[in-house]
Amino acid sequence: MIRLLLVPALFYCSISFAQTDYNLGKSLTAPTFVDIDNDGDLDAFGVETGMTAGNVLYYENTGSKESPEFAKPVKAAFGLKAKSLSALKFVDIDNDGDLDAFGVETGMSAGKAFYHENTGSKESPEFGKAVSYPFGLKSKSLSAFAFVDIDNDGDLDAIGVETGMSAGKVFCHQNTGTKDKPAFEKRAYNPFGLSSKSLSAFSFVDIDNDGDLEAFGIETGMSAGKVFMLEVQK
Protein backbone atom coordinates (compact mmCIF):
# COMPACT_ATOMS: atom_id res chain seq x y z
CA MET A 1 0.00 0.00 0.00
CA ILE A 2 1.28 3.45 -0.91
CA ARG A 3 1.21 6.16 1.74
CA LEU A 4 2.72 9.62 1.84
CA LEU A 5 4.51 10.74 4.99
CA LEU A 6 5.12 14.40 5.83
CA VAL A 7 8.85 15.10 5.95
CA PRO A 8 10.55 18.48 6.52
CA ALA A 9 12.09 19.72 3.29
CA LEU A 10 14.90 21.47 5.15
CA PHE A 11 17.61 19.01 4.12
CA TYR A 12 17.13 20.06 0.51
CA CYS A 13 18.02 23.65 1.43
CA SER A 14 21.69 22.68 1.16
CA ILE A 15 21.22 22.68 -2.62
CA SER A 16 22.33 26.00 -4.05
CA PHE A 17 20.27 27.56 -6.86
CA ALA A 18 21.42 30.46 -9.03
CA GLN A 19 18.88 33.07 -10.09
CA THR A 20 18.57 33.94 -13.78
CA ASP A 21 16.18 36.45 -15.33
CA TYR A 22 14.79 35.17 -18.64
CA ASN A 23 12.59 38.26 -19.11
CA LEU A 24 9.27 36.45 -19.33
CA GLY A 25 7.29 39.50 -18.27
CA LYS A 26 6.16 41.07 -15.02
CA SER A 27 2.47 40.17 -15.03
CA LEU A 28 2.74 36.41 -15.32
CA THR A 29 1.42 33.68 -13.06
CA ALA A 30 1.48 29.87 -13.17
CA PRO A 31 4.45 29.46 -15.57
CA THR A 32 4.81 26.06 -17.21
CA PHE A 33 7.82 24.75 -19.12
CA VAL A 34 7.29 22.08 -21.76
CA ASP A 35 8.80 21.07 -25.11
CA ILE A 36 5.62 21.91 -27.00
CA ASP A 37 7.17 21.70 -30.49
CA ASN A 38 9.36 18.62 -29.86
CA ASP A 39 12.60 20.36 -30.84
CA GLY A 40 14.57 19.23 -27.79
CA ASP A 41 14.32 22.34 -25.60
CA LEU A 42 11.78 23.67 -23.12
CA ASP A 43 9.36 26.41 -24.16
CA ALA A 44 7.40 28.52 -21.68
CA PHE A 45 3.70 29.13 -21.18
CA GLY A 46 2.23 31.57 -18.69
CA VAL A 47 -1.06 33.09 -17.61
CA GLU A 48 -1.43 36.86 -17.45
CA THR A 49 -2.57 38.81 -14.41
CA GLY A 50 -3.94 42.34 -14.09
CA MET A 51 -6.20 43.84 -16.77
CA THR A 52 -5.67 40.87 -19.09
CA ALA A 53 -5.84 38.21 -16.38
CA GLY A 54 -6.39 34.69 -17.66
CA ASN A 55 -4.91 35.10 -21.13
CA VAL A 56 -2.39 32.44 -22.13
CA LEU A 57 1.04 33.52 -23.38
CA TYR A 58 3.55 31.36 -25.23
CA TYR A 59 7.30 32.00 -25.27
CA GLU A 60 9.18 29.91 -27.83
CA ASN A 61 12.67 28.84 -26.79
CA THR A 62 14.83 29.98 -29.68
CA GLY A 63 18.02 29.03 -27.86
CA SER A 64 18.89 25.53 -26.73
CA LYS A 65 18.23 23.21 -23.79
CA GLU A 66 21.55 24.30 -22.26
CA SER A 67 21.23 28.03 -23.01
CA PRO A 68 17.56 28.98 -23.36
CA GLU A 69 16.51 32.22 -25.04
CA PHE A 70 12.82 33.07 -25.13
CA ALA A 71 11.10 34.96 -27.94
CA LYS A 72 8.46 37.64 -27.39
CA PRO A 73 5.14 36.31 -26.08
CA VAL A 74 2.45 35.11 -28.45
CA LYS A 75 -1.21 35.06 -27.41
CA ALA A 76 -3.58 32.22 -28.30
CA ALA A 77 -0.71 30.14 -29.69
CA PHE A 78 -1.65 26.88 -31.42
CA GLY A 79 -5.33 27.75 -31.05
CA LEU A 80 -5.14 27.79 -27.24
CA LYS A 81 -7.66 30.60 -26.77
CA ALA A 82 -8.55 30.23 -23.09
CA LYS A 83 -9.33 33.67 -21.61
CA SER A 84 -10.18 32.93 -18.01
CA LEU A 85 -7.43 30.61 -16.89
CA SER A 86 -5.77 30.28 -13.49
CA ALA A 87 -3.68 27.14 -14.04
CA LEU A 88 -2.35 25.29 -17.08
CA LYS A 89 -0.93 21.80 -17.45
CA PHE A 90 0.30 19.84 -20.47
CA VAL A 91 0.12 16.06 -20.52
CA ASP A 92 -0.40 13.32 -23.11
CA ILE A 93 -3.67 12.20 -21.53
CA ASP A 94 -4.76 9.96 -24.43
CA ASN A 95 -1.34 8.39 -25.12
CA ASP A 96 -1.26 9.43 -28.78
CA GLY A 97 2.24 10.89 -28.66
CA ASP A 98 1.44 14.61 -28.38
CA LEU A 99 0.71 16.95 -25.47
CA ASP A 100 -2.84 17.95 -24.58
CA ALA A 101 -3.73 20.96 -22.41
CA PHE A 102 -5.75 21.12 -19.20
CA GLY A 103 -6.81 24.31 -17.46
CA VAL A 104 -8.78 25.67 -14.52
CA GLU A 105 -11.21 28.54 -15.04
CA THR A 106 -11.49 31.78 -13.11
CA GLY A 107 -14.37 34.27 -12.88
CA MET A 108 -17.96 33.00 -12.87
CA SER A 109 -16.82 29.42 -13.49
CA ALA A 110 -13.88 29.53 -11.10
CA GLY A 111 -12.50 26.10 -10.23
CA LYS A 112 -13.98 24.32 -13.25
CA ALA A 113 -11.59 22.00 -15.10
CA PHE A 114 -11.48 21.94 -18.90
CA TYR A 115 -9.47 20.20 -21.62
CA HIS A 116 -8.06 21.13 -25.02
CA GLU A 117 -7.24 18.08 -27.14
CA ASN A 118 -4.15 18.36 -29.31
CA THR A 119 -5.47 17.46 -32.75
CA GLY A 120 -2.17 18.31 -34.42
CA SER A 121 1.10 16.52 -33.77
CA LYS A 122 3.96 16.63 -31.30
CA GLU A 123 5.92 18.88 -33.69
CA SER A 124 3.00 21.08 -34.80
CA PRO A 125 0.39 21.20 -32.03
CA GLU A 126 -3.13 22.47 -32.66
CA PHE A 127 -5.58 22.63 -29.78
CA GLY A 128 -9.30 22.09 -30.14
CA LYS A 129 -12.08 23.94 -28.33
CA ALA A 130 -12.33 23.65 -24.58
CA VAL A 131 -14.26 20.67 -23.23
CA SER A 132 -15.59 20.91 -19.68
CA TYR A 133 -15.43 18.00 -17.23
CA PRO A 134 -13.32 15.79 -19.52
CA PHE A 135 -13.18 12.03 -18.97
CA GLY A 136 -15.49 12.29 -15.97
CA LEU A 137 -13.23 14.83 -14.25
CA LYS A 138 -16.11 16.75 -12.65
CA SER A 139 -14.26 18.85 -10.10
CA LYS A 140 -15.96 22.23 -9.61
CA SER A 141 -13.77 23.81 -6.96
CA LEU A 142 -10.23 23.30 -8.20
CA SER A 143 -7.26 25.60 -7.55
CA ALA A 144 -4.31 23.39 -8.51
CA PHE A 145 -3.93 19.96 -10.03
CA ALA A 146 -1.40 17.43 -11.28
CA PHE A 147 -1.50 14.32 -13.41
CA VAL A 148 0.66 11.48 -12.17
CA ASP A 149 0.61 7.69 -12.13
CA ILE A 150 0.37 7.68 -8.35
CA ASP A 151 -0.60 4.00 -8.06
CA ASN A 152 1.88 2.76 -10.70
CA ASP A 153 -0.75 0.99 -12.82
CA GLY A 154 0.33 2.48 -16.13
CA ASP A 155 -2.19 5.32 -16.49
CA LEU A 156 -2.38 8.91 -15.24
CA ASP A 157 -4.44 9.79 -12.18
CA ALA A 158 -5.57 13.33 -11.32
CA ILE A 159 -4.80 14.93 -7.96
CA GLY A 160 -6.26 18.32 -7.10
CA VAL A 161 -6.54 20.98 -4.41
CA GLU A 162 -9.90 22.54 -3.52
CA THR A 163 -10.91 26.18 -3.28
CA GLY A 164 -13.82 27.77 -1.43
CA MET A 165 -14.98 26.41 1.92
CA SER A 166 -12.59 23.46 1.68
CA ALA A 167 -9.64 25.46 0.35
CA GLY A 168 -6.36 23.56 0.53
CA LYS A 169 -7.91 20.11 0.87
CA VAL A 170 -6.36 17.44 -1.35
CA PHE A 171 -8.34 14.89 -3.37
CA CYS A 172 -7.67 12.28 -6.04
CA HIS A 173 -9.61 11.17 -9.12
CA GLN A 174 -8.30 7.67 -9.79
CA ASN A 175 -8.08 6.69 -13.44
CA THR A 176 -10.02 3.45 -13.76
CA GLY A 177 -9.81 3.50 -17.54
CA THR A 178 -6.59 3.01 -19.49
CA LYS A 179 -3.66 5.14 -20.63
CA ASP A 180 -5.38 5.47 -24.04
CA LYS A 181 -8.94 6.00 -22.80
CA PRO A 182 -8.91 7.61 -19.35
CA ALA A 183 -11.96 7.52 -17.11
CA PHE A 184 -11.79 9.29 -13.75
CA GLU A 185 -13.70 8.15 -10.68
CA LYS A 186 -15.37 10.49 -8.19
CA ARG A 187 -12.99 12.39 -5.96
CA ALA A 188 -11.53 10.66 -2.91
CA TYR A 189 -10.16 12.88 -0.16
CA ASN A 190 -6.79 12.48 1.57
CA PRO A 191 -5.52 9.92 -0.96
CA PHE A 192 -2.61 7.72 0.08
CA GLY A 193 -2.23 9.64 3.34
CA LEU A 194 -1.93 12.96 1.51
CA SER A 195 -3.99 14.75 4.15
CA SER A 196 -2.61 18.29 4.04
CA LYS A 197 -5.41 20.82 4.62
CA SER A 198 -3.65 24.07 3.76
CA LEU A 199 -2.15 23.52 0.33
CA SER A 200 -1.98 26.02 -2.53
CA ALA A 201 0.25 24.25 -5.04
CA PHE A 202 2.11 20.98 -5.37
CA SER A 203 4.09 18.81 -7.76
CA PHE A 204 5.41 15.26 -7.91
CA VAL A 205 9.02 14.32 -8.64
CA ASP A 206 11.47 11.56 -7.72
CA ILE A 207 13.76 14.02 -5.93
CA ASP A 208 15.97 11.37 -4.31
CA ASN A 209 16.13 8.97 -7.29
CA ASP A 210 14.79 6.03 -5.29
CA GLY A 211 12.25 4.94 -7.89
CA ASP A 212 9.12 6.47 -6.38
CA LEU A 213 7.51 9.91 -6.44
CA GLU A 214 7.69 12.47 -3.64
CA ALA A 215 5.17 15.29 -3.35
CA PHE A 216 6.22 18.90 -2.75
CA GLY A 217 3.66 21.48 -1.67
CA ILE A 218 3.25 25.10 -0.61
CA GLU A 219 1.21 25.92 2.46
CA THR A 220 -1.43 28.60 2.87
CA GLY A 221 -2.87 30.22 5.99
CA MET A 222 -0.60 30.89 8.97
CA SER A 223 2.31 29.14 7.27
CA ALA A 224 1.69 30.64 3.82
CA GLY A 225 4.58 30.13 1.41
CA LYS A 226 6.26 27.40 3.43
CA VAL A 227 7.53 24.46 1.35
CA PHE A 228 7.09 20.89 2.57
CA MET A 229 7.65 17.40 1.22
CA LEU A 230 5.60 14.22 1.46
CA GLU A 231 7.67 11.08 0.96
CA VAL A 232 6.24 7.76 -0.22
CA GLN A 233 6.26 5.04 2.40
CA LYS A 234 5.50 1.54 1.07
Side-chain angles (χ1 to χ4, degrees), residues 68-104:
E69 291 287 338
F70 294 101
K72 291 182 179 180
V74 176
K75 292 184 179 181
F78 313 111
L80 195 58
K81 296 179 180 180
K83 294 182 179 179
S84 56
L85 192 66
S86 65
L88 182 66
K89 297 285 184 181
F90 292 92
V91 62
D92 184 7
I93 195 65
D94 50 7
N95 195 41
D96 64 350
D98 55 41
L99 293 171
D100 309 295
F102 283 80
V104 178

mmCIF file of all heavy atoms in Angstrom, residues 68-104:
data_model
loop_
_atom_site.group_PDB
_atom_site.id
_atom_site.type_symbol
_atom_site.label_atom_id
_atom_site.label_comp_id
_atom_site.label_asym_id
_atom_site.label_seq_id
_atom_site.Cartn_x
_atom_site.Cartn_y
_atom_site.Cartn_z
ATOM 1 N N PRO A 68 18.855 28.536 -22.824
ATOM 2 C CA PRO A 68 17.563 28.983 -23.358
ATOM 3 C C PRO A 68 17.501 30.472 -23.633
ATOM 4 O O PRO A 68 18.082 31.280 -22.897
ATOM 5 C CB PRO A 68 16.581 28.587 -22.252
ATOM 6 C CG PRO A 68 17.400 28.530 -21.010
ATOM 7 C CD PRO A 68 18.755 28.073 -21.426
ATOM 8 N N GLU A 69 16.815 30.834 -24.695
ATOM 9 C CA GLU A 69 16.508 32.216 -25.044
ATOM 10 C C GLU A 69 15.048 32.246 -25.478
ATOM 11 O O GLU A 69 14.664 31.504 -26.388
ATOM 12 C CB GLU A 69 17.399 32.720 -26.184
ATOM 13 C CG GLU A 69 18.849 32.891 -25.810
ATOM 14 C CD GLU A 69 19.078 34.102 -24.916
ATOM 15 O OE1 GLU A 69 18.219 35.014 -24.931
ATOM 16 O OE2 GLU A 69 20.104 34.134 -24.222
ATOM 17 N N PHE A 70 14.251 33.092 -24.853
ATOM 18 C CA PHE A 70 12.819 33.071 -25.126
ATOM 19 C C PHE A 70 12.400 34.250 -26.006
ATOM 20 O O PHE A 70 12.784 35.397 -25.755
ATOM 21 C CB PHE A 70 12.026 33.079 -23.823
ATOM 22 C CG PHE A 70 12.221 31.825 -23.018
ATOM 23 C CD1 PHE A 70 13.079 31.801 -21.934
ATOM 24 C CD2 PHE A 70 11.565 30.658 -23.379
ATOM 25 C CE1 PHE A 70 13.272 30.646 -21.202
ATOM 26 C CE2 PHE A 70 11.753 29.488 -22.648
ATOM 27 C CZ PHE A 70 12.616 29.482 -21.557
ATOM 28 N N ALA A 71 11.613 33.938 -27.023
ATOM 29 C CA ALA A 71 11.097 34.957 -27.938
ATOM 30 C C ALA A 71 9.996 35.766 -27.244
ATOM 31 O O ALA A 71 9.566 35.456 -26.138
ATOM 32 C CB ALA A 71 10.550 34.290 -29.191
ATOM 33 N N LYS A 72 9.544 36.823 -27.921
ATOM 34 C CA LYS A 72 8.456 37.640 -27.386
ATOM 35 C C LYS A 72 7.191 36.800 -27.263
ATOM 36 O O LYS A 72 6.970 35.853 -28.034
ATOM 37 C CB LYS A 72 8.214 38.845 -28.294
ATOM 38 C CG LYS A 72 9.340 39.869 -28.268
ATOM 39 C CD LYS A 72 9.007 41.065 -29.153
ATOM 40 C CE LYS A 72 10.115 42.116 -29.107
ATOM 41 N NZ LYS A 72 9.800 43.291 -29.960
ATOM 42 N N PRO A 73 6.334 37.136 -26.308
ATOM 43 C CA PRO A 73 5.140 36.308 -26.079
ATOM 44 C C PRO A 73 4.150 36.359 -27.230
ATOM 45 O O PRO A 73 3.991 37.387 -27.898
ATOM 46 C CB PRO A 73 4.540 36.920 -24.810
ATOM 47 C CG PRO A 73 5.048 38.321 -24.772
ATOM 48 C CD PRO A 73 6.418 38.258 -25.351
ATOM 49 N N VAL A 74 3.498 35.240 -27.440
ATOM 50 C CA VAL A 74 2.448 35.108 -28.453
ATOM 51 C C VAL A 74 1.166 34.692 -27.739
ATOM 52 O O VAL A 74 1.160 33.734 -26.963
ATOM 53 C CB VAL A 74 2.822 34.049 -29.509
ATOM 54 C CG1 VAL A 74 1.677 33.851 -30.498
ATOM 55 C CG2 VAL A 74 4.101 34.451 -30.227
ATOM 56 N N LYS A 75 0.076 35.408 -28.003
ATOM 57 C CA LYS A 75 -1.207 35.060 -27.408
ATOM 58 C C LYS A 75 -1.949 34.047 -28.283
ATOM 59 O O LYS A 75 -1.813 34.039 -29.499
ATOM 60 C CB LYS A 75 -2.077 36.303 -27.232
ATOM 61 C CG LYS A 75 -1.551 37.274 -26.191
ATOM 62 C CD LYS A 75 -2.519 38.433 -25.996
ATOM 63 C CE LYS A 75 -2.005 39.403 -24.936
ATOM 64 N NZ LYS A 75 -2.942 40.533 -24.717
ATOM 65 N N ALA A 76 -2.729 33.210 -27.626
ATOM 66 C CA ALA A 76 -3.576 32.220 -28.302
ATOM 67 C C ALA A 76 -2.777 31.336 -29.248
ATOM 68 O O ALA A 76 -3.252 30.977 -30.331
ATOM 69 C CB ALA A 76 -4.714 32.916 -29.051
ATOM 70 N N ALA A 77 -1.562 30.983 -28.851
ATOM 71 C CA ALA A 77 -0.712 30.140 -29.686
ATOM 72 C C ALA A 77 -1.328 28.758 -29.884
ATOM 73 O O ALA A 77 -1.921 28.189 -28.969
ATOM 74 C CB ALA A 77 0.669 30.011 -29.049
ATOM 75 N N PHE A 78 -1.185 28.229 -31.076
ATOM 76 C CA PHE A 78 -1.646 26.882 -31.425
ATOM 77 C C PHE A 78 -3.155 26.709 -31.208
ATOM 78 O O PHE A 78 -3.633 25.597 -30.986
ATOM 79 C CB PHE A 78 -0.889 25.815 -30.623
ATOM 80 C CG PHE A 78 0.604 26.013 -30.604
ATOM 81 C CD1 PHE A 78 1.252 26.370 -29.428
ATOM 82 C CD2 PHE A 78 1.353 25.860 -31.756
ATOM 83 C CE1 PHE A 78 2.622 26.560 -29.402
ATOM 84 C CE2 PHE A 78 2.728 26.044 -31.744
ATOM 85 C CZ PHE A 78 3.365 26.401 -30.566
ATOM 86 N N GLY A 79 -3.896 27.814 -31.246
ATOM 87 C CA GLY A 79 -5.329 27.752 -31.048
ATOM 88 C C GLY A 79 -5.758 27.669 -29.600
ATOM 89 O O GLY A 79 -6.939 27.448 -29.318
ATOM 90 N N LEU A 80 -4.830 27.866 -28.673
ATOM 91 C CA LEU A 80 -5.135 27.793 -27.244
ATOM 92 C C LEU A 80 -5.700 29.142 -26.802
ATOM 93 O O LEU A 80 -4.979 30.021 -26.340
ATOM 94 C CB LEU A 80 -3.864 27.451 -26.465
ATOM 95 C CG LEU A 80 -4.016 26.994 -25.024
ATOM 96 C CD1 LEU A 80 -4.896 25.762 -24.931
ATOM 97 C CD2 LEU A 80 -2.661 26.717 -24.408
ATOM 98 N N LYS A 81 -7.015 29.302 -26.928
ATOM 99 C CA LYS A 81 -7.663 30.604 -26.772
ATOM 100 C C LYS A 81 -8.360 30.788 -25.431
ATOM 101 O O LYS A 81 -9.285 31.585 -25.318
ATOM 102 C CB LYS A 81 -8.660 30.820 -27.904
ATOM 103 C CG LYS A 81 -8.009 30.887 -29.285
ATOM 104 C CD LYS A 81 -9.045 31.087 -30.371
ATOM 105 C CE LYS A 81 -8.391 31.145 -31.742
ATOM 106 N NZ LYS A 81 -9.375 31.334 -32.834
ATOM 107 N N ALA A 82 -7.937 30.061 -24.410
ATOM 108 C CA ALA A 82 -8.551 30.233 -23.093
ATOM 109 C C ALA A 82 -8.347 31.664 -22.608
ATOM 110 O O ALA A 82 -7.267 32.229 -22.728
ATOM 111 C CB ALA A 82 -7.931 29.250 -22.111
ATOM 112 N N LYS A 83 -9.405 32.269 -22.053
ATOM 113 C CA LYS A 83 -9.334 33.666 -21.613
ATOM 114 C C LYS A 83 -9.600 33.852 -20.124
ATOM 115 O O LYS A 83 -9.559 34.971 -19.634
ATOM 116 C CB LYS A 83 -10.339 34.505 -22.413
ATOM 117 C CG LYS A 83 -10.009 34.614 -23.898
ATOM 118 C CD LYS A 83 -11.003 35.496 -24.620
ATOM 119 C CE LYS A 83 -10.665 35.622 -26.096
ATOM 120 N NZ LYS A 83 -11.644 36.470 -26.811
ATOM 121 N N SER A 84 -9.885 32.791 -19.435
ATOM 122 C CA SER A 84 -10.178 32.927 -18.009
ATOM 123 C C SER A 84 -9.523 31.780 -17.252
ATOM 124 O O SER A 84 -10.173 30.959 -16.628
ATOM 125 C CB SER A 84 -11.689 32.933 -17.763
ATOM 126 O OG SER A 84 -12.289 31.774 -18.306
ATOM 127 N N LEU A 85 -8.214 31.741 -17.350
ATOM 128 C CA LEU A 85 -7.433 30.607 -16.892
ATOM 129 C C LEU A 85 -6.632 30.970 -15.641
ATOM 130 O O LEU A 85 -6.071 32.050 -15.536
ATOM 131 C CB LEU A 85 -6.484 30.193 -18.012
ATOM 132 C CG LEU A 85 -5.751 28.883 -17.928
ATOM 133 C CD1 LEU A 85 -6.731 27.719 -17.999
ATOM 134 C CD2 LEU A 85 -4.771 28.783 -19.091
ATOM 135 N N SER A 86 -6.588 30.055 -14.672
ATOM 136 C CA SER A 86 -5.770 30.281 -13.487
ATOM 137 C C SER A 86 -4.628 29.283 -13.378
ATOM 138 O O SER A 86 -3.668 29.517 -12.662
ATOM 139 C CB SER A 86 -6.627 30.195 -12.221
ATOM 140 O OG SER A 86 -7.130 28.896 -12.035
ATOM 141 N N ALA A 87 -4.728 28.159 -14.060
ATOM 142 C CA ALA A 87 -3.678 27.141 -14.038
ATOM 143 C C ALA A 87 -3.668 26.419 -15.371
ATOM 144 O O ALA A 87 -4.704 26.296 -16.031
ATOM 145 C CB ALA A 87 -3.913 26.157 -12.898
ATOM 146 N N LEU A 88 -2.501 25.947 -15.784
ATOM 147 C CA LEU A 88 -2.350 25.294 -17.083
ATOM 148 C C LEU A 88 -1.372 24.133 -16.952
ATOM 149 O O LEU A 88 -0.298 24.279 -16.374
ATOM 150 C CB LEU A 88 -1.835 26.309 -18.110
ATOM 151 C CG LEU A 88 -1.644 25.845 -19.546
ATOM 152 C CD1 LEU A 88 -2.982 25.494 -20.181
ATOM 153 C CD2 LEU A 88 -0.953 26.940 -20.372
ATOM 154 N N LYS A 89 -1.776 22.983 -17.468
ATOM 155 C CA LYS A 89 -0.925 21.798 -17.453
ATOM 156 C C LYS A 89 -0.942 21.148 -18.831
ATOM 157 O O LYS A 89 -1.968 21.138 -19.520
ATOM 158 C CB LYS A 89 -1.431 20.771 -16.435
ATOM 159 C CG LYS A 89 -1.403 21.233 -14.988
ATOM 160 C CD LYS A 89 0.000 21.244 -14.422
ATOM 161 C CE LYS A 89 -0.018 21.612 -12.951
ATOM 162 N NZ LYS A 89 1.330 21.660 -12.366
ATOM 163 N N PHE A 90 0.205 20.581 -19.218
ATOM 164 C CA PHE A 90 0.304 19.841 -20.468
ATOM 165 C C PHE A 90 0.648 18.389 -20.161
ATOM 166 O O PHE A 90 1.577 18.108 -19.400
ATOM 167 C CB PHE A 90 1.378 20.447 -21.378
ATOM 168 C CG PHE A 90 1.034 21.808 -21.898
ATOM 169 C CD1 PHE A 90 1.430 22.946 -21.213
ATOM 170 C CD2 PHE A 90 0.296 21.955 -23.069
ATOM 171 C CE1 PHE A 90 1.110 24.212 -21.680
ATOM 172 C CE2 PHE A 90 -0.029 23.214 -23.544
ATOM 173 C CZ PHE A 90 0.376 24.349 -22.846
ATOM 174 N N VAL A 91 -0.107 17.482 -20.759
ATOM 175 C CA VAL A 91 0.118 16.058 -20.523
ATOM 176 C C VAL A 91 -0.475 15.281 -21.697
ATOM 177 O O VAL A 91 -1.469 15.702 -22.296
ATOM 178 C CB VAL A 91 -0.535 15.624 -19.183
ATOM 179 C CG1 VAL A 91 -2.036 15.833 -19.211
ATOM 180 C CG2 VAL A 91 -0.186 14.197 -18.834
ATOM 181 N N ASP A 92 0.138 14.170 -22.043
ATOM 182 C CA ASP A 92 -0.403 13.316 -23.105
ATOM 183 C C ASP A 92 -1.445 12.392 -22.476
ATOM 184 O O ASP A 92 -1.173 11.229 -22.172
ATOM 185 C CB ASP A 92 0.718 12.512 -23.757
ATOM 186 C CG ASP A 92 0.234 11.677 -24.932
ATOM 187 O OD1 ASP A 92 -0.943 11.823 -25.322
ATOM 188 O OD2 ASP A 92 1.034 10.871 -25.459
ATOM 189 N N ILE A 93 -2.640 12.910 -22.293
ATOM 190 C CA ILE A 93 -3.666 12.204 -21.534
ATOM 191 C C ILE A 93 -4.240 11.013 -22.286
ATOM 192 O O ILE A 93 -4.721 10.044 -21.668
ATOM 193 C CB ILE A 93 -4.803 13.178 -21.116
ATOM 194 C CG1 ILE A 93 -5.686 12.556 -20.019
ATOM 195 C CG2 ILE A 93 -5.613 13.602 -22.327
ATOM 196 C CD1 ILE A 93 -4.986 12.319 -18.710
ATOM 197 N N ASP A 94 -4.186 11.043 -23.635
ATOM 198 C CA ASP A 94 -4.759 9.959 -24.429
ATOM 199 C C ASP A 94 -3.705 9.072 -25.084
ATOM 200 O O ASP A 94 -4.027 8.245 -25.944
ATOM 201 C CB ASP A 94 -5.721 10.505 -25.484
ATOM 202 C CG ASP A 94 -5.095 11.645 -26.283
ATOM 203 O OD1 ASP A 94 -3.891 11.918 -26.114
ATOM 204 O OD2 ASP A 94 -5.825 12.281 -27.068
ATOM 205 N N ASN A 95 -2.436 9.264 -24.697
ATOM 206 C CA ASN A 95 -1.337 8.389 -25.121
ATOM 207 C C ASN A 95 -1.202 8.285 -26.639
ATOM 208 O O ASN A 95 -0.926 7.221 -27.191
ATOM 209 C CB ASN A 95 -1.523 6.986 -24.522
ATOM 210 C CG ASN A 95 -0.273 6.133 -24.608
ATOM 211 O OD1 ASN A 95 0.834 6.609 -24.382
ATOM 212 N ND2 ASN A 95 -0.437 4.865 -24.931
ATOM 213 N N ASP A 96 -1.386 9.432 -27.324
ATOM 214 C CA ASP A 96 -1.255 9.432 -28.783
ATOM 215 C C ASP A 96 0.035 10.082 -29.246
ATOM 216 O O ASP A 96 0.226 10.322 -30.437
ATOM 217 C CB ASP A 96 -2.465 10.106 -29.434
ATOM 218 C CG ASP A 96 -2.590 11.580 -29.088
ATOM 219 O OD1 ASP A 96 -1.849 12.053 -28.194
ATOM 220 O OD2 ASP A 96 -3.430 12.268 -29.698
ATOM 221 N N GLY A 97 0.919 10.406 -28.301
ATOM 222 C CA GLY A 97 2.240 10.895 -28.659
ATOM 223 C C GLY A 97 2.407 12.391 -28.678
ATOM 224 O O GLY A 97 3.513 12.888 -28.895
ATOM 225 N N ASP A 98 1.310 13.162 -28.450
ATOM 226 C CA ASP A 98 1.435 14.614 -28.380
ATOM 227 C C ASP A 98 0.856 15.119 -27.060
ATOM 228 O O ASP A 98 0.172 14.397 -26.337
ATOM 229 C CB ASP A 98 0.765 15.296 -29.573
ATOM 230 C CG ASP A 98 -0.695 14.900 -29.754
ATOM 231 O OD1 ASP A 98 -1.425 14.785 -28.745
ATOM 232 O OD2 ASP A 98 -1.119 14.706 -30.895
ATOM 233 N N LEU A 99 1.120 16.373 -26.754
ATOM 234 C CA LEU A 99 0.713 16.954 -25.473
ATOM 235 C C LEU A 99 -0.636 17.650 -25.582
ATOM 236 O O LEU A 99 -0.841 18.492 -26.452
ATOM 237 C CB LEU A 99 1.775 17.949 -24.994
ATOM 238 C CG LEU A 99 3.125 17.347 -24.611
ATOM 239 C CD1 LEU A 99 4.150 18.452 -24.369
ATOM 240 C CD2 LEU A 99 3.002 16.459 -23.392
ATOM 241 N N ASP A 100 -1.547 17.289 -24.701
ATOM 242 C CA ASP A 100 -2.836 17.952 -24.578
ATOM 243 C C ASP A 100 -2.764 18.980 -23.447
ATOM 244 O O ASP A 100 -1.841 18.970 -22.636
ATOM 245 C CB ASP A 100 -3.920 16.911 -24.300
ATOM 246 C CG ASP A 100 -3.880 15.759 -25.299
ATOM 247 O OD1 ASP A 100 -4.134 16.008 -26.483
ATOM 248 O OD2 ASP A 100 -3.566 14.630 -24.892
ATOM 249 N N ALA A 101 -3.747 19.876 -23.395
ATOM 250 C CA ALA A 101 -3.733 20.961 -22.411
ATOM 251 C C ALA A 101 -4.946 20.879 -21.495
ATOM 252 O O ALA A 101 -6.076 20.682 -21.957
ATOM 253 C CB ALA A 101 -3.714 22.320 -23.122
ATOM 254 N N PHE A 102 -4.689 21.026 -20.198
ATOM 255 C CA PHE A 102 -5.747 21.119 -19.198
ATOM 256 C C PHE A 102 -5.648 22.467 -18.498
ATOM 257 O O PHE A 102 -4.546 22.983 -18.266
ATOM 258 C CB PHE A 102 -5.620 20.011 -18.158
ATOM 259 C CG PHE A 102 -6.094 18.672 -18.619
ATOM 260 C CD1 PHE A 102 -5.294 17.866 -19.421
ATOM 261 C CD2 PHE A 102 -7.352 18.206 -18.273
ATOM 262 C CE1 PHE A 102 -5.724 16.631 -19.856
ATOM 263 C CE2 PHE A 102 -7.798 16.963 -18.710
ATOM 264 C CZ PHE A 102 -6.982 16.174 -19.500
ATOM 265 N N GLY A 103 -6.797 23.031 -18.153
ATOM 266 C CA GLY A 103 -6.810 24.311 -17.459
ATOM 267 C C GLY A 103 -7.861 24.351 -16.375
ATOM 268 O O GLY A 103 -8.727 23.476 -16.284
ATOM 269 N N VAL A 104 -7.786 25.398 -15.557
ATOM 270 C CA VAL A 104 -8.781 25.673 -14.520
ATOM 271 C C VAL A 104 -9.296 27.082 -14.742
ATOM 272 O O VAL A 104 -8.515 28.022 -14.897
ATOM 273 C CB VAL A 104 -8.174 25.549 -13.107
ATOM 274 C CG1 VAL A 104 -9.219 25.884 -12.048
ATOM 275 C CG2 VAL A 104 -7.628 24.156 -12.884
#
